[in-house]
Amino acid sequence: MFQNDAFRALDRHECLRLLAKVPVGRVVYTRQALPAVLPINFALDTDASVLLHTSPDSDLVRAIDGVVVAFEADEFDAATRSGWSVVVTGRATLVTDPVENERLSQIGPSSWMPLRDPVFVRIESEMVTGRELRGTRAAR
């Protein structure tokens, strides 16, 4: 097997630390039996779940409430050919508890889109994986 020191798997702690550094990721889910990917801003909750703030009548909420989804975020630098990617896999649920909604209104993400009566969606971090690529400056 080829050994490559420029690539390494990240542990859960490193993955969550990196996720907390970026404001936008992508929800990967199924829409009408086809794969769908939607970029969305997010935040991490204290229990490491991914929090989304979106419209209650959106196609996204209807498609993912109660379903296992993936959430991916990354950061790359083309000049150095380096970066990282983290994937969180878990069940997505609409937050319906009024006390929890109030708490998340204080600490959760604010949607970058104007929304009427937004809701929070929580993606449990049941499986967290990541990898880092430590490249070198590209030759010209």
Side-chain angles (χ1 to χ4, degrees):
M1 189 163 132
F2 178 70
Q3 178 67 28
N4 186 343
D5 292 336
F7 169 84
R8 75 179 178 99
L10 301 172
D11 67 25
R12 181 182 176 93
H13 176 76
E14 289 174 296
C15 288
L16 295 173
R17 180 183 62 78
L18 290 169
L19 271 182
K21 292 174 43 175
V22 295
V24 175
R26 287 160 290 287
V27 180
V28 181
Y29 62 105
T30 302
R31 181 178 58 215
Q32 299 176 347
L34 296 171
V37 180
L38 180 69
I40 190 166
N41 67 298
F42 74 101
L44 287 180
D45 201 355
T46 54
D47 67 353
S49 347
V50 173
L51 298 172
L52 313 176
H53 203 208
T54 190
S55 174
D57 57 352
S58 69
D59 290 340
L60 176 66
V61 170
R62 283 191 295 276
I64 71 173
D65 187 25
V67 175
V68 174
V69 300
F71 183 85
E72 189 270 346
D74 54 48
E75 190 172 71
F76 289 98
D77 181 339
T80 61
R81 297 182 179 186
S82 63
W84 57 267
S85 175
V86 170
V87 176
V88 173
T89 305
R91 186 165 308 278
T93 54
L94 184 64
V95 177
T96 58
D97 178 63
V99 173
E100 182 67 355
N101 269 305
E102 180 59 32
R103 182 184 77 82
L104 294 178
S105 294
Q106 303 301 314
I107 66 153
S110 294
S111 176
W112 289 7
M113 301 284 293
L115 300 173
R116 176 174 287 148
D117 301 321
V119 294
F120 288 99
V121 174
R122 173 185 307 282
I123 301 171
E124 300 294 335
S125 60
E126 296 169 21
M127 183 170 40
V128 180
T129 59
R131 58 191 193 172
E132 178 184 43
L133 179 63
R134 294 175 288 192
T136 57
R137 192 164 298 279
R140 294 200 182 226

